[in-house]
Amino acid sequence: MELTRVDLTRFLPVARGDEPADLVLRNGRVVNVFTGEIIDADVAIAGDTIVGVGPGYEAGEEMDLGGRYVCPGLIDAHVHIESSMCTPPQFARAVLPRGTTTAVTDPHEIANVTGADGVRYMLAVSQGLPLTVIVNLPSCVPATHMGTAGASLEAEDLLALADLPRVVGLAEFMNVPGAVLGLPGALEKLAAFQGRVIDGHAPGISGTWLQAYVGAGPGSDHESTTAEEMLEKLRLGMVVFIREATAAQNLRALVPAVTLQNSRRCAFCTDDRHPADLLDEGHLDYLIRLAVAEGLDPVTAIQMATLNAAEWFRLRDRGAIAPGKRADLVVFSNLKDFRAEMVFAGGALAARDGVAVGDWPVPDVDDAHVRDTVHVEWERLSFDIPAQGERVRAIGVVPDQVITDAAVVPAKVVDGLAVADPERDLLKIAVIERHRGTGNVGLGFVRGLGLKRGAIAGSVGHDAHNLTVAGCDDASMMTAARAVGDLGGGLVAAAGEQVLGSVPLPIAGLMSDRPVETVRQQMDELVGVARTLGSPLHDPFMTLGFLALEVIPALKLTDQGLVDVEKFDFVPLFVA
Amino acid sequence: MELTRVDLTRFLPVARGDEPADLVLRNGRVVNVFTGEIIDADVAIAGDTIVGVGPGYEAGEEMDLGGRYVCPGLIDAHVHIESSMCTPPQFARAVLPRGTTTAVTDPHEIANVTGADGVRYMLAVSQGLPLTVIVNLPSCVPATHMGTAGASLEAEDLLALADLPRVVGLAEFMNVPGAVLGLPGALEKLAAFQGRVIDGHAPGISGTWLQAYVGAGPGSDHESTTAEEMLEKLRLGMVVFIREATAAQNLRALVPAVTLQNSRRCAFCTDDRHPADLLDEGHLDYLIRLAVAEGLDPVTAIQMATLNAAEWFRLRDRGAIAPGKRADLVVFSNLKDFRAEMVFAGGALAARDGVAVGDWPVPDVDDAHVRDTVHVEWERLSFDIPAQGERVRAIGVVPDQVITDAAVVPAKVVDGLAVADPERDLLKIAVIERHRGTGNVGLGFVRGLGLKRGAIAGSVGHDAHNLTVAGCDDASMMTAARAVGDLGGGLVAAAGEQVLGSVPLPIAGLMSDRPVETVRQQMDELVGVARTLGSPLHDPFMTLGFLALEVIPALKLTDQGLVDVEKFDFVPLFVA
């Protein structure tokens, strides 16, 4: 894929030195990702393209780098932009000043809500940004058939999107059993994308199953958690993306296994990073700093964050500083403490000292299809759980993890109904189908959220993103859930009939339309409210959002009921 | 490009270990080109595909490698098969037993004779061979307009071939001025192949011209002769093919500049290797041995000869030993003295101890279009040179080089005609247009061939491949030239009216239809005859074949006349 096409009528005379360039960066120390060298050189730019690296170029505008380093713009190999809770233009403003100029995003979250419309929205709203947003199509929507998502994407739906500009292939192919056992739906998708990029997703898979998975088509993986796992995948030819997300932090475990010989098959990705992490730690710049602190050669780290990702995704117009490549550049001063001082995107200065500069386009996109996505018949909604026994299964929160425990505990029954018992930290939880107004409500109990009163609710509930609410009493739960509906999506804390705080997420119920700084402040305030209600968790809304994810053990709740993930089937709430 | 498509219905159960493989190679030391490691493992194969690498596989047939090494089949990044003077099936029998399982060939020579028909012939006649023949389309046919080739291939002609199976892109883009100066014909071809593989050809080009050339599209180069030249190209992002041909031997000069960091951008190619070299030295196996002897790490050398070439040519089905890859494998015993003991091609044993084994398909191809390519109106042909002065320009042979000297010497004039003067080693040379019967004959004089009597002639005359003949008298020249015509192409030595020896090259006047061993023997005998006629040269026919190449300095002769290559124009034979 070559998104930046060189205009040779302009390029050639400038490259030959017969006409002046638009811009020359003088006296840079250029990180050459092809050879692993650092070479003193000028970089000449015409339009959005690098025309020459070395001496012999003049330009209308010159900038003296005074011996600072220049490297290619960074490439995030796998990110769900929705996890930043910001739209692509706002995400771009958060990450580009950090040095990221290309993000390969998997719009898996919005696709679970609005299907192909969501994918098209993410493409449209990122059109023309200084950050190049590449879309890798979500391969597994819905995640399973045990939850009700807002859409499904079959092979033919994906193929209809495959040739759109900036679409590169198929993202994290999570359906490992489907690929390895050769189930029809999975094989159809893999066959449809043969010859294109297919990213894998094989956490903990090894041995003969991994061999079958690799041969079936997926060629990369970003789920390694140990060096051993990473090496097995590299040896089978997978390109490994080393991930450092908000929840899944794998970099420290994996970087020691990177060698000069295998590093060409390694890249970096952020997967899911929340607003506070983007602002406090950073984006790929943070991964590079962390990797170098862990002992990785800085030039190798930069290769992984640039050329290696470009090669895997066949982005032949970028990932290096060379004639004909897109002029995405990062200027920085310290190899051991990588911090972007200037970021050029398509030849234009787009950020300086961590702040976006210049006029960024404001995409004029009709987003009606991705707003107003909460559809619940509130009049029919009830959280009543008629008692059918004396003991219930309860989901157990594991702090800072997406896995849960499963326990069986005595029910508290009042007037024939099983109810929450905050004194035992046993809250009621409901997952309300919110896409199609089916009236589906999954009901259950959860321990570990810690609320002493009130309720919290949100429209972010991986992966189907139904409306999830947990609380100490049905009235608070109803207030919180309805407030999410009134916002058209968002996160809410409530007590009794009072809404105590909220973060509006009007785009698909997943993303704010405000800057990342605003979202972060709103989140901080909302988590503060949850804390006053008694929750000790770092982020109870994130925890709540993963209690519906029926592909991660052990016990989860979807709109269709309680799921024993290890059995991959529903189980009754009451235990005899 | 994935030529070998995995049949997942068979692959998956075998890869999982649920069904037996067809063949398991036990106890191999597998060269892992992804990680640079050597790992003890079994290799399981089903059909033409590797299904698993490691323990856990059973098969109907097992073979114990007893700790010998296994590496992927070797890939020649750039070769003109015609230079072997053998057809692709015979070339395959010569090189596959050496470990080469894929050759990226540029049918530049046959295309200069028969155009697209020649390209299609090379594809057809290589269909189904154990050696996978990939065709990269000849980008510069004819080489210039100062000679008359048998065909021309413009952008639209090349595009008509581009989507044929096994066609990968555009080969050595020799028209450097066209690319750098943005001349229309060159830009049209480069634009037509944007997004596909475009190999470069930039001998000695550097600085701003090289920057312009790289940005114009060509992404590889195999013409570096010094480490400095190679490094400049690598730094600009070119993939460098290190060449060791019969004439151009660059490996020793370049290998010292290969590092662990830049080796990923290096591959090997043979370009033009003659029968004797293929038989006495070898093919890519020879390059690996030579590189290792020069100090290159053996695993790095193998990576260059496999994965690196596969990556550049986007041959995603090969170049490594991993599940889903084509089962092209080489078994060998000594890392420091690489000699193929067994070669598997598409899962089948195809050679053992240097000898082809098994039933190789015999392509049934209608080759009428590429035979009978010598069209000369003999009755009109005359080698008379009416004297127009007392001094003539003479081409000067430089032994073992393709360049020539240019000199001005006194003419020998008899009866008003300038004639050869063997006593001064001044032979007459004629280049006879042989494609279209135009009657064009270029006439001149050459020094350094050394014949004392008789004449030598051939239908191999780079790049237009006209009939070239040099000799001590017109009668011998006519006998030799006519004998080439009678053969329908070939090489001939003659004296007076007697043909003393010949090598028939009936395919386009370039290739024999006999095995490489036969061709080599015929060549040895013919060169022996030339020696009895007085030529001291290592191979006077090869020298003769390059005297018509009007893009290599200094003085050359085409069917249209004498060319001063540095002026890039014709010059008169006689000097005032």
Side-chain angles (χ1 to χ4, degrees):
Chain A
M1 183 181 289
E2 293 170 60
L3 296 167
T4 296
R5 295 215 162 191
V6 178
D7 172 9
L8 288 179
T9 58
R10 170 77 175 128
F11 171 88
L12 289 174
V14 180
R16 293 195 306 264
D18 294 341
E19 291 183 7
D22 294 330
L23 172 66
V24 172
L25 306 179
R26 296 245 185 255
N27 302 317
R29 303 172 72 181
V30 176
V31 178
N32 191 305
V33 292
F34 298 121
T35 61
E37 300 168 299
I38 294 175
I39 298 171
D40 292 351
D42 300 339
V43 180
I45 295 165
D48 57 9
T49 303
I50 298 167
V51 289
V53 185
Y57 293 103
E58 306 293 331
E61 185 186 352
E62 307 206 349
M63 196 179 280
D64 192 330
L65 299 185
R68 282 186 287 177
Y69 298 98
V70 198
C71 76
L74 310 180
I75 302 174
D76 190 344
H78 177 71
V79 56
H80 304 285
I81 291 180
E82 301 97 312
S83 294
S84 73
M85 301 168 74
C86 293
T87 60
Q90 298 297 345
F91 175 79
R93 294 190 86 89
V95 305
L96 188 133
R98 301 293 194 148
T100 304
T101 53
T102 299
V104 181
T105 193
D106 170 11
H108 175 75
E109 316 306 340
I110 195 170
N112 265 282
V113 179
T114 61
D117 282 346
V119 176
R120 291 178 187 275
Y121 164 79
M122 294 297 269
L123 282 164
V125 80
S126 58
Q127 173 70 36
L129 293 174
L131 175 78
T132 302
V133 175
I134 305 288
V135 165
N136 219 7
L137 296 172
S139 63
C140 299
V141 176
T144 78
H145 291 278
M146 291 187 291
T148 306
S152 72
L153 291 176
E154 302 304 326
E156 62 181 13
D157 306 313
L158 294 166
L159 272 183
L161 298 164
D163 291 322
L164 294 176
R166 290 188 284 129
V167 171
V168 72
L170 209 53
E172 49 182 8
F173 202 87
M174 298 186 288
N175 188 355
V176 175
V180 170
L181 299 174
L183 307 182
L187 288 200
E188 200 183 345
K189 288 178 182 175
L190 291 168
F193 282 77
Q194 182 160 20
R196 302 184 195 249
V197 172
I198 304 179
D199 278 338
H201 183 282
I205 308 296
S206 70
T208 54
W209 263 55
L210 187 60
Q211 312 237 16
Y213 182 73
V214 167
S220 72
D221 181 79
H222 57 271
E223 293 289 335
S224 290
T225 58
T226 67
E228 183 189 10
E229 182 178 359
M230 176 177 116
L231 284 174
E232 182 176 359
K233 288 172 176 169
L234 284 172
R235 288 170 182 152
L236 291 179
M238 299 191 103
V239 170
V240 164
F241 309 159
I242 294 180
R243 172 178 61 185
E244 189 74 3
T246 287
Q249 302 184 352
N250 309 122
L251 189 143
R252 286 186 182 84
L254 302 184
V255 155
V258 177
T259 67
L260 272 184
Q261 283 88 348
N262 69 28
S263 66
R264 68 192 272 188
R265 316 278 306 173
C266 300
F268 286 122
C269 76
T270 65
D271 208 352
D272 305 275
R273 284 182 80 77
H274 288 190
D277 288 340
L278 289 175
L279 292 172
D280 296 347
E281 294 177 339
H283 194 239
L284 290 172
D285 59 325
Y286 170 70
L287 274 68
I288 291 174
R289 288 194 298 276
L290 201 56
V292 171
E294 294 293 317
L296 190 65
D297 169 66
V299 173
T300 303
I302 289 169
Q303 286 177 313
M304 289 167 58
T306 58
L307 178 64
N308 299 7
E311 287 192 342
W312 166 246
F313 288 108
R314 311 174 194 173
L315 302 173
R316 301 193 179 92
D317 65 347
R318 65 194 62 209
I321 300 180
K325 301 292 183 193
R326 182 175 163 85
D328 289 348
L329 302 167
V330 182
V331 176
F332 63 103
S333 292
N334 189 340
L335 282 173
K336 303 222 161 186
D337 184 39
F338 183 97
R339 291 180 194 276
E341 296 169 13
M342 289 194 287
V343 182
F344 293 85
L349 185 66
R352 188 192 282 272
D353 298 329
V355 180
V357 300
D359 291 327
W360 290 30
V362 180
D364 181 18
V365 172
D366 177 4
D367 58 10
H369 286 298
V370 295
R371 287 181 181 263
D372 187 22
T373 60
V374 182
H375 305 122
V376 177
E377 288 193 41
W378 298 105
E379 296 70 24
R380 288 169 53 194
L381 182 63
S382 162
F383 299 135
D384 283 354
I385 303 178
Q388 294 173 8
E390 292 179 0
R391 298 189 306 158
V392 290
R393 288 187 170 81
I395 301 167
V397 166
V398 180
D400 299 325
Q401 301 277 356
V402 295
I403 59 167
T404 65
D405 290 334
V408 175
V409 298
K412 177 178 180 182
V413 178
V414 175
D415 295 338
L417 299 175
V419 299
D421 186 358
E423 293 191 6
R424 283 190 290 147
D425 189 20
L426 185 70
L427 304 190
K428 187 183 278 185
I429 178 169
V431 176
I432 307 159
E433 193 280 315
R434 61 110 164 164
H435 304 294
R436 312 172 187 192
T438 56
N440 288 355
V441 181
L443 291 166
F445 293 93
V446 59
R447 301 194 306 173
L449 283 175
L451 294 180
K452 299 301 179 198
R453 63 188 184 92
I456 60 173
S459 51
V460 181
H462 295 273
D463 279 342
H465 296 298
N466 282 309
L467 203 169
T468 306
V469 55
C472 303
D473 63 281
D474 288 7
S476 297
M477 288 172 66
M478 195 62 79
T479 301
R482 277 188 173 248
V484 170
D486 292 344
L487 290 170
L491 309 177
V492 169
E497 298 196 347
Q498 197 177 357
V499 173
L500 301 175
S502 66
V503 178
L505 300 173
I507 310 297
L510 301 172
M511 289 177 279
S512 173
D513 50 11
R514 310 301 302 280
V516 65
E517 295 84 356
T518 307
V519 177
R520 188 259 176 88
Q521 188 182 339
Q522 291 174 339
M523 273 305 299
D524 285 353
E525 290 171 7
L526 183 64
V527 169
V529 170
R531 210 148 283 152
T532 67
L533 296 176
S535 177
L537 295 177
H538 175 65
D539 181 347
F541 293 91
M542 196 204 306
T543 302
L544 181 69
F546 281 104
L547 296 181
L549 183 51
E550 76 273 22
V551 293
I552 303 284
L555 190 64
K556 294 294 173 80
L557 182 67
T558 78
D559 66 303
Q560 296 175 30
L562 210 53
V563 175
D564 181 327
V565 179
E566 275 145 27
K567 289 184 183 161
F568 211 68
D569 204 353
F570 294 107
V571 287
L573 175 58
F574 287 91
V575 180
Chain B
M1 183 180 289
E2 292 170 60
L3 295 167
T4 296
R5 297 214 160 192
V6 178
D7 172 9
L8 289 180
T9 58
R10 169 80 175 127
F11 172 87
L12 290 173
V14 180
R16 292 194 308 264
D18 293 341
E19 290 183 7
D22 294 330
L23 172 65
V24 172
L25 306 179
R26 297 248 182 251
N27 301 317
R29 301 172 73 182
V30 177
V31 179
N32 191 306
V33 292
F34 298 120
T35 62
E37 300 168 298
I38 294 175
I39 298 171
D40 292 349
D42 299 340
V43 180
I45 295 164
D48 57 9
T49 304
I50 297 167
V51 290
V53 185
Y57 293 103
E58 306 293 330
E61 184 187 352
E62 307 206 348
M63 196 178 282
D64 191 331
L65 299 185
R68 283 187 287 178
Y69 297 99
V70 198
C71 76
L74 310 181
I75 302 174
D76 191 343
H78 177 71
V79 58
H80 305 286
I81 290 179
E82 301 96 314
S83 293
S84 73
M85 301 168 73
C86 294
T87 59
Q90 298 297 346
F91 176 79
R93 294 190 86 88
V95 304
L96 188 134
R98 300 294 194 147
T100 304
T101 53
T102 300
V104 181
T105 194
D106 171 10
H108 175 74
E109 316 307 339
I110 195 170
N112 264 283
V113 178
T114 61
D117 282 345
V119 176
R120 290 178 189 275
Y121 164 78
M122 294 296 269
L123 282 164
V125 80
S126 59
Q127 172 71 37
L129 293 175
L131 176 77
T132 303
V133 175
I134 305 287
V135 165
N136 218 8
L137 297 171
S139 63
C140 301
V141 176
T144 80
H145 292 279
M146 292 187 292
T148 306
S152 72
L153 291 176
E154 301 304 325
E156 62 183 12
D157 305 314
L158 294 166
L159 271 183
L161 299 165
D163 291 322
L164 295 176
R166 290 187 284 129
V167 171
V168 73
L170 209 53
E172 50 181 6
F173 202 86
M174 298 187 289
N175 189 353
V176 175
V180 170
L181 299 173
L183 306 182
L187 288 200
E188 202 184 341
K189 287 178 182 174
L190 291 168
F193 282 77
Q194 181 160 21
R196 302 183 196 249
V197 171
I198 304 179
D199 278 339
H201 182 281
I205 308 296
S206 70
T208 54
W209 263 55
L210 187 60
Q211 312 238 14
Y213 182 73
V214 167
S220 72
D221 183 79
H222 58 271
E223 292 290 333
S224 290
T225 58
T226 67
E228 183 188 12
E229 182 179 358
M230 175 176 120
L231 283 174
E232 182 177 359
K233 288 171 176 170
L234 284 172
R235 287 170 181 149
L236 291 178
M238 298 190 103
V239 170
V240 165
F241 308 159
I242 294 180
R243 173 178 57 186
E244 189 74 2
T246 287
Q249 302 185 353
N250 310 123
L251 189 144
R252 286 187 182 84
L254 302 183
V255 155
V258 177
T259 67
L260 271 184
Q261 282 88 351
N262 69 28
S263 66
R264 67 192 270 189
R265 317 278 304 172
C266 301
F268 286 121
C269 76
T270 64
D271 208 351
D272 304 276
R273 282 181 83 74
H274 288 191
D277 288 341
L278 289 175
L279 292 172
D280 296 344
E281 294 176 341
H283 194 238
L284 291 171
D285 59 325
Y286 171 69
L287 275 69
I288 292 175
R289 286 194 298 274
L290 202 56
V292 170
E294 294 293 317
L296 190 65
D297 169 65
V299 173
T300 303
I302 290 169
Q303 285 177 314
M304 289 166 59
T306 58
L307 178 65
N308 299 7
E311 287 192 342
W312 166 249
F313 288 106
R314 311 175 193 173
L315 302 173
R316 300 193 180 91
D317 65 348
R318 64 192 64 207
I321 299 179
K325 302 293 183 193
R326 181 174 165 84
D328 288 349
L329 302 167
V330 182
V331 176
F332 63 103
S333 291
N334 189 340
L335 282 173
K336 304 222 162 184
D337 185 38
F338 183 97
R339 292 180 193 275
E341 296 169 15
M342 288 194 285
V343 182
F344 293 86
L349 185 66
R352 186 193 284 270
D353 297 328
V355 180
V357 300
D359 292 326
W360 291 31
V362 180
D364 180 19
V365 172
D366 177 5
D367 58 10
H369 287 297
V370 296
R371 287 182 180 261
D372 188 22
T373 61
V374 181
H375 305 123
V376 177
E377 289 193 41
W378 299 105
E379 295 69 25
R380 288 170 52 193
L381 182 64
S382 162
F383 299 135
D384 283 355
I385 302 178
Q388 294 173 8
E390 293 180 358
R391 298 188 307 157
V392 291
R393 289 187 170 83
I395 301 169
V397 166
V398 181
D400 298 327
Q401 301 276 354
V402 295
I403 59 167
T404 65
D405 290 333
V408 175
V409 298
K412 175 176 181 184
V413 178
V414 176
D415 296 337
L417 299 175
V419 298
D421 187 359
E423 293 191 5
R424 283 190 290 147
D425 190 19
L426 184 69
L427 305 190
K428 189 183 280 186
I429 177 170
V431 176
I432 307 159
E433 193 281 314
R434 61 113 164 161
H435 305 295
R436 311 171 188 191
T438 57
N440 287 354
V441 181
L443 292 166
F445 294 93
V446 58
R447 299 193 308 172
L449 283 175
L451 294 181
K452 300 298 179 199
R453 63 187 182 93
I456 60 173
S459 51
V460 180
H462 295 273
D463 279 345
H465 296 297
N466 283 310
L467 204 168
T468 305
V469 54
C472 302
D473 63 280
D474 290 6
S476 296
M477 287 172 67
M478 195 63 79
T479 302
R482 278 192 176 243
V484 170
D486 292 344
L487 290 170
L491 309 178
V492 168
E497 299 197 348
Q498 196 178 359
V499 173
L500 301 175
S502 65
V503 178
L505 300 172
I507 310 296
L510 302 172
M511 289 176 279
S512 172
D513 51 9
R514 310 300 303 280
V516 66
E517 295 84 358
T518 306
V519 178
R520 187 258 173 88
Q521 189 183 338
Q522 292 174 337
M523 274 303 300
D524 285 354
E525 290 171 9
L526 184 64
V527 169
V529 169
R531 208 149 283 151
T532 68
L533 295 177
S535 177
L537 295 177
H538 175 64
D539 181 346
F541 294 89
M542 196 203 310
T543 301
L544 182 70
F546 281 105
L547 295 181
L549 183 51
E550 75 274 21
V551 295
I552 302 284
L555 189 64
K556 295 293 172 82
L557 181 69
T558 77
D559 66 305
Q560 297 176 27
L562 209 54
V563 175
D564 180 329
V565 179
E566 273 144 28
K567 289 184 181 160
F568 211 68
D569 204 354
F570 294 107
V571 288
L573 177 57
F574 287 90
V575 179

